[in-house]
Coordinates of all heavy atoms in Angstrom, one line a residue:
M1 N 106.4 73.1 95.2 CA 105.3 73.2 94.2 C 105.3 74.6 93.6 O 105.6 75.6 94.3 CB 104.1 72.8 94.8 CG 103.5 73.8 95.8 SD 102.1 73.0 96.7 CE 100.9 73.3 95.5
T2 N 104.9 74.7 92.3 CA 104.7 75.9 91.7 C 103.3 75.9 91.1 O 103.0 75.1 90.4 CB 105.7 76.1 90.6 OG1 107.0 76.0 91.2 CG2 105.6 77.5 90.0
V3 N 102.6 77.0 91.4 CA 101.1 77.3 91.0 C 101.2 78.3 89.9 O 101.9 79.3 90.0 CB 100.3 77.6 92.2 CG1 98.9 77.9 91.7 CG2 100.4 76.6 93.3
S4 N 100.4 78.0 88.9 CA 100.2 79.1 87.9 C 98.7 79.0 87.4 O 98.1 78.0 87.6 CB 101.1 78.8 86.7 OG 100.8 77.5 86.1
V5 N 98.3 80.1 86.9 CA 96.9 80.2 86.4 C 97.0 80.4 84.9 O 97.6 81.4 84.5 CB 96.1 81.3 87.1 CG1 94.7 81.5 86.5 CG2 96.0 81.0 88.5
D6 N 96.2 79.7 84.1 CA 96.2 80.0 82.7 C 95.1 81.1 82.4 O 93.9 80.7 82.4 CB 95.8 78.7 82.0 CG 95.8 78.8 80.4 OD1 95.8 80.0 79.9 OD2 95.7 77.9 79.6
G7 N 95.6 82.3 82.1 CA 94.6 83.4 82.0 C 93.7 83.3 80.8 O 92.8 84.0 80.7
T8 N 94.2 82.4 79.8 CA 93.3 82.3 78.7 C 92.1 81.4 78.9 O 91.2 81.2 78.2 CB 94.1 81.7 77.5 OG1 94.6 80.3 77.8 CG2 95.3 82.6 77.3
R9 N 92.2 80.5 80.0 CA 91.1 79.7 80.3 C 90.2 80.1 81.5 O 89.1 79.9 81.5 CB 91.7 78.3 80.8 CG 92.5 77.6 79.7 CD 93.0 76.2 80.2 NE 92.0 75.3 80.5 CZ 91.5 74.3 79.6 NH1 92.2 74.2 78.5 NH2 90.7 73.5 80.0
C10 N 91.0 81.0 82.4 CA 90.2 81.4 83.6 C 89.0 82.3 83.3 O 89.0 83.1 82.3 CB 91.0 82.2 84.4 SG 90.3 83.1 85.9
I11 N 87.8 82.0 83.8 CA 86.6 82.7 83.6 C 86.3 83.8 84.7 O 85.3 84.4 84.8 CB 85.4 81.8 83.4 CG1 85.2 81.0 84.6 CG2 85.5 81.1 82.2 CD1 83.9 80.1 84.6
G12 N 87.2 83.9 85.6 CA 87.1 84.9 86.7 C 86.0 84.6 87.7 O 85.4 85.5 88.3
C13 N 85.8 83.2 88.1 CA 84.6 83.0 88.9 C 84.9 83.4 90.3 O 83.9 83.6 91.1 CB 84.3 81.5 88.7 SG 85.5 80.4 89.6
G14 N 86.2 83.5 90.6 CA 86.6 84.0 92.0 C 86.7 82.9 93.0 O 87.1 83.2 94.1
M15 N 86.4 81.7 92.7 CA 86.5 80.6 93.6 C 87.8 80.5 94.2 O 88.0 80.4 95.5 CB 86.0 79.2 93.0 CG 86.0 78.1 94.0 SD 87.6 77.3 94.3 CE 87.9 76.5 92.7
C16 N 88.9 80.4 93.5 CA 90.2 80.2 94.0 C 90.7 81.4 94.9 O 91.2 81.1 96.0 CB 91.3 79.9 92.9 SG 91.3 81.3 91.6
A17 N 90.3 82.5 94.6 CA 90.8 83.7 95.3 C 90.0 83.7 96.6 O 90.6 84.2 97.6 CB 90.6 85.0 94.5
A18 N 88.8 83.3 96.6 CA 87.9 83.3 97.8 C 88.5 82.2 98.8 O 88.5 82.3 100.0 CB 86.4 83.1 97.5
A19 N 88.9 81.0 98.2 CA 89.3 80.0 99.0 C 90.7 80.2 99.6 O 91.0 79.7 100.8 CB 89.3 78.6 98.2
V20 N 91.6 80.7 98.9 CA 93.1 80.8 99.2 C 93.6 82.3 98.8 O 94.4 82.4 97.9 CB 94.0 79.7 98.5 CG1 95.2 79.6 99.4 CG2 93.2 78.4 98.4
P21 N 93.0 83.3 99.6 CA 93.4 84.6 99.1 C 94.9 84.9 99.2 O 95.3 85.9 98.6 CB 92.6 85.5 100.0 CG 92.2 84.6 101.2 CD 92.1 83.3 100.6
A22 N 95.6 84.2 100.0 CA 97.1 84.5 100.1 C 97.9 84.0 98.8 O 98.9 84.4 98.5 CB 97.7 83.6 101.3
V23 N 97.2 83.2 98.0 CA 97.8 82.6 96.8 C 97.3 83.1 95.5 O 98.0 83.4 94.6 CB 97.7 81.0 96.8 CG1 98.3 80.4 95.5 CG2 98.5 80.4 98.0
F24 N 95.9 83.3 95.5 CA 95.2 83.7 94.2 C 94.5 85.1 94.5 O 94.0 85.3 95.6 CB 94.1 82.7 93.9 CG 94.6 81.4 93.6 CD1 94.6 80.3 94.5 CD2 95.3 81.0 92.4 CE1 95.0 79.1 94.4 CE2 95.9 79.8 92.2 CZ 95.7 78.7 93.1
E25 N 94.6 85.9 93.5 CA 93.7 87.1 93.6 C 93.1 87.4 92.1 O 93.8 87.0 91.2 CB 94.6 88.3 94.0 CG 95.7 88.6 93.1 CD 96.5 89.9 93.6 OE1 96.0 90.5 94.5 OE2 97.6 90.1 93.0
I26 N 92.0 88.1 92.2 CA 91.4 88.5 90.8 C 92.0 89.8 90.5 O 91.9 90.8 91.3 CB 90.0 88.5 90.9 CG1 89.3 87.1 91.3 CG2 89.3 89.0 89.6 CD1 89.5 86.1 90.2
R27 N 92.6 89.8 89.3 CA 93.2 91.2 88.8 C 92.4 91.4 87.5 O 92.6 90.5 86.6 CB 94.6 91.0 88.6 CG 95.3 91.3 89.9 CD 96.9 91.5 89.6 NE 97.7 90.9 90.6 CZ 98.9 90.6 90.5 NH1 99.5 90.5 89.3 NH2 99.6 90.2 91.6
G28 N 91.7 92.4 87.4 CA 90.9 92.5 86.1 C 89.8 91.5 86.1 O 89.1 91.4 87.0
R29 N 89.8 90.6 85.2 CA 88.8 89.7 85.0 C 89.3 88.3 85.1 O 88.5 87.4 85.0 CB 88.1 89.8 83.5 CG 87.5 91.2 83.5 CD 87.0 91.4 82.0 NE 86.1 90.4 81.4 CZ 85.6 90.3 80.2 NH1 86.0 91.3 79.3 NH2 84.9 89.4 79.8
V30 N 90.5 88.1 85.5 CA 91.0 86.8 85.7 C 91.8 86.7 87.0 O 92.3 87.7 87.6 CB 92.0 86.3 84.5 CG1 91.1 86.3 83.1 CG2 93.2 87.2 84.3
S31 N 91.9 85.4 87.3 CA 92.8 85.1 88.6 C 94.3 85.1 88.2 O 94.6 84.7 87.1 CB 92.4 83.7 89.1 OG 93.2 83.5 90.3
Q32 N 95.1 85.6 89.1 CA 96.5 85.5 89.0 C 97.0 85.0 90.3 O 96.5 85.0 91.4 CB 97.1 86.8 88.7 CG 96.7 87.4 87.3 CD 97.4 88.6 87.0 OE1 98.3 89.1 87.7 NE2 97.0 89.2 85.8
V33 N 98.3 84.5 90.3 CA 98.9 84.1 91.5 C 99.6 85.3 92.1 O 100.4 85.9 91.6 CB 100.0 83.0 91.1 CG1 100.9 82.6 92.4 CG2 99.5 81.7 90.5
R34 N 99.1 85.5 93.3 CA 99.7 86.5 94.1 C 100.9 86.2 94.8 O 102.0 86.9 94.8 CB 98.6 86.9 95.2 CG 99.2 87.7 96.4 CD 98.2 88.0 97.5 NE 97.3 89.0 97.1 CZ 96.1 89.3 97.6 NH1 95.8 88.5 98.6 NH2 95.3 90.2 97.2
S35 N 101.0 84.9 95.4 CA 102.2 84.4 96.0 C 102.1 82.9 96.0 O 101.1 82.3 96.1 CB 102.3 85.0 97.4 OG 103.3 84.4 98.1
Q36 N 103.3 82.3 95.8 CA 103.4 80.9 95.8 C 103.0 80.3 97.2 O 103.4 80.9 98.2 CB 104.7 80.4 95.3 CG 105.1 80.7 93.8 CD 104.1 79.9 93.0 OE1 103.7 78.8 93.2 NE2 103.9 80.5 91.9
P37 N 102.3 79.3 97.2 CA 101.8 78.7 98.6 C 103.2 78.3 99.4 O 104.1 77.8 98.8 CB 101.0 77.5 98.2 CG 101.3 77.2 96.8 CD 101.8 78.4 96.1
R38 N 103.1 78.7 100.6 CA 104.2 78.4 101.5 C 103.8 77.4 102.6 O 104.6 76.5 103.0 CB 104.7 79.7 102.2 CG 105.5 80.5 101.1 CD 106.0 81.8 101.8 NE 104.8 82.7 102.0 CZ 104.6 83.8 101.5 NH1 105.6 84.4 100.8 NH2 103.5 84.5 101.8
T39 N 102.6 77.7 103.3 CA 102.3 76.8 104.4 C 101.5 75.6 103.9 O 101.1 75.6 102.8 CB 101.3 77.7 105.3 OG1 100.0 77.9 104.6 CG2 101.9 79.0 105.8
A40 N 101.5 74.7 104.7 CA 100.7 73.5 104.5 C 99.2 73.7 104.1 O 98.7 73.1 103.1 CB 100.7 72.4 105.5
G41 N 98.7 74.6 104.7 CA 97.3 75.0 104.5 C 97.1 75.7 103.1 O 96.2 75.4 102.3
E42 N 98.1 76.5 102.8 CA 98.1 77.2 101.4 C 98.2 76.2 100.4 O 97.6 76.3 99.3 CB 99.1 78.3 101.4 CG 98.8 79.5 102.3 CD 99.9 80.5 102.3 OE1 100.9 80.3 101.6 OE2 99.7 81.5 103.1
K43 N 99.2 75.2 100.6 CA 99.4 74.2 99.5 C 98.2 73.2 99.4 O 97.8 72.9 98.2 CB 100.7 73.3 100.0 CG 101.9 74.1 99.9 CD 103.0 73.3 100.3 CE 104.4 74.1 100.3 NZ 105.6 73.5 100.8
T44 N 97.6 72.9 100.5 CA 96.4 72.0 100.4 C 95.3 72.8 99.7 O 94.6 72.3 98.8 CB 95.9 71.7 101.7 OG1 96.9 70.9 102.4 CG2 94.5 70.8 101.6
G45 N 95.1 74.2 100.1 CA 94.1 74.9 99.4 C 94.4 75.1 97.9 O 93.4 75.2 97.1
A46 N 95.6 75.2 97.5 CA 95.9 75.4 96.1 C 95.6 74.1 95.4 O 95.0 74.1 94.3 CB 97.4 75.8 95.9
F47 N 95.9 72.9 96.0 CA 95.4 71.8 95.3 C 93.9 71.6 95.2 O 93.4 71.2 94.1 CB 95.9 70.5 96.1 CG 97.4 70.1 95.8 CD1 98.3 70.2 96.7 CD2 97.7 69.6 94.6 CE1 99.7 69.9 96.4 CE2 99.0 69.3 94.2 CZ 99.9 69.4 95.2
D48 N 93.2 72.0 96.2 CA 91.8 71.9 96.2 C 91.2 72.9 95.2 O 90.1 72.6 94.5 CB 91.2 72.3 97.6 CG 91.5 71.2 98.6 OD1 91.9 70.1 98.2 OD2 91.3 71.4 99.9
A49 N 91.8 74.2 95.1 CA 91.4 75.2 94.0 C 91.5 74.5 92.7 O 90.7 74.7 91.9 CB 92.1 76.4 94.3
A50 N 92.8 73.9 92.5 CA 93.0 73.3 91.2 C 91.9 72.2 90.8 O 91.5 72.2 89.6 CB 94.4 72.8 91.1
N51 N 91.7 71.5 91.8 CA 90.6 70.4 91.6 C 89.3 71.0 91.4 O 88.4 70.4 90.5 CB 90.7 69.4 92.7 CG 91.8 68.5 92.7 OD1 92.4 68.2 91.7 ND2 92.2 68.1 94.0
G52 N 89.0 72.2 92.0 CA 87.7 72.6 91.9 C 87.5 73.6 90.8 O 86.3 74.0 90.5
C53 N 88.5 74.1 90.2 CA 88.4 75.1 89.1 C 87.6 74.6 88.0 O 87.8 73.5 87.5 CB 89.8 75.5 88.6 SG 89.7 76.7 87.1
P54 N 86.4 75.3 87.7 CA 85.5 74.9 86.7 C 86.0 74.7 85.4 O 85.4 74.0 84.5 CB 84.4 75.8 86.7 CG 85.0 77.0 87.3 CD 86.0 76.6 88.2
V55 N 87.1 75.4 85.0 CA 87.7 75.3 83.6 C 89.1 74.8 83.6 O 89.8 74.9 82.6 CB 87.6 76.7 83.0 CG1 86.1 77.1 82.6 CG2 88.3 77.8 83.7
N56 N 89.6 74.3 84.7 CA 90.8 73.6 84.8 C 91.9 74.5 84.4 O 92.9 74.1 83.7 CB 90.8 72.3 83.9 CG 92.0 71.4 84.3 OD1 92.5 71.4 85.4 ND2 92.4 70.5 83.2
A57 N 91.8 75.6 85.0 CA 92.8 76.7 84.6 C 94.1 76.8 85.5 O 95.0 77.4 85.2 CB 92.2 78.1 84.6
I58 N 94.0 76.1 86.6 CA 95.1 76.2 87.7 C 96.0 75.0 87.4 O 95.6 73.8 87.3 CB 94.6 76.2 89.1 CG1 93.6 77.4 89.2 CG2 95.7 76.1 90.1 CD1 92.9 77.4 90.6
R59 N 97.4 75.4 87.2 CA 98.3 74.2 87.0 C 99.2 74.2 88.3 O 99.6 75.2 88.8 CB 99.1 74.5 85.9 CG 98.3 74.7 84.6 CD 98.2 73.3 83.9 NE 97.4 73.6 82.6 CZ 96.2 73.1 82.4 NH1 95.6 72.5 83.5 NH2 95.7 73.2 81.3
I60 N 99.5 73.0 88.7 CA 100.5 72.8 89.8 C 101.5 71.8 89.4 O 101.4 70.8 88.9 CB 99.7 72.2 91.1 CG1 98.7 73.2 91.6 CG2 100.8 71.8 92.2 CD1 98.0 72.7 92.8
Q61 N 102.8 72.5 89.5 CA 104.0 71.7 89.1 C 104.7 71.3 90.3 O 104.9 72.0 91.4 CB 104.9 72.5 88.1 CG 104.3 72.8 86.9 CD 105.2 73.7 86.0 OE1 105.5 74.8 86.3 NE2 105.7 73.1 84.9
R62 N 105.2 70.2 90.3 CA 106.0 69.6 91.5 C 107.5 69.4 91.0 O 107.6 68.9 89.9 CB 105.3 68.3 92.1 CG 104.1 68.6 92.7 CD 103.6 67.2 93.2 NE 102.8 67.4 94.5 CZ 102.8 66.8 95.4 NH1 103.6 65.7 95.5 NH2 101.8 66.9 96.5
P63 N 108.5 69.5 91.8 CA 108.4 70.0 93.2 C 108.2 71.5 93.2 O 108.4 72.2 92.4 CB 109.7 69.6 93.8 CG 110.7 69.6 92.6 CD 109.9 69.2 91.5
Ligands
SF4_1 S1 88.7 78.9 90.1 FE1 89.5 78.8 88.0 S2 88.0 79.9 86.7 FE2 87.6 80.6 88.8 S3 88.8 82.4 89.2 FE3 90.1 80.6 89.8 S4 91.4 80.0 88.0 FE4 89.7 81.3 87.3

């Protein structure tokens, strides 16, 4: 899976970075991908963050 954040949509709420700090981090005013998810927990967390993002800014591509 490949995770990306659409910086034009992100409002910098910080939810994803708080939930999965290994994958997302706030840089400036928006979230960016720090590292692609590797563990099962990081992958699940990335899916949950994508589902929970209030502006649908997190994209997940498979495989
Ligand atoms: S949850 Fe969505 S809006 Fe909030 S920081 Fe992450 S990508 Fe941005």
Side-chain angles (χ1 to χ4, degrees):
M1 65 188 285
T2 303
V3 179
S4 60
V5 174
D6 183 347
T8 66
R9 297 178 69 97
C10 174
I11 57 173
C13 73
M15 181 278 289
C16 58
V20 201
V23 176
F24 303 100
E25 65 181 348
I26 299 293
R27 283 191 209 149
R29 297 171 55 185
V30 298
S31 175
Q32 294 185 4
V33 174
R34 164 184 282 167
S35 177
Q36 292 296 325
R38 287 174 293 237
T39 67
E42 289 172 2
K43 291 176 182 177
T44 299
F47 276 114
D48 290 346
N51 287 331
C53 176
V55 292
N56 198 26
I58 300 172
R59 302 269 181 255
I60 295 179
Q61 293 180 296
R62 294 176 148 225

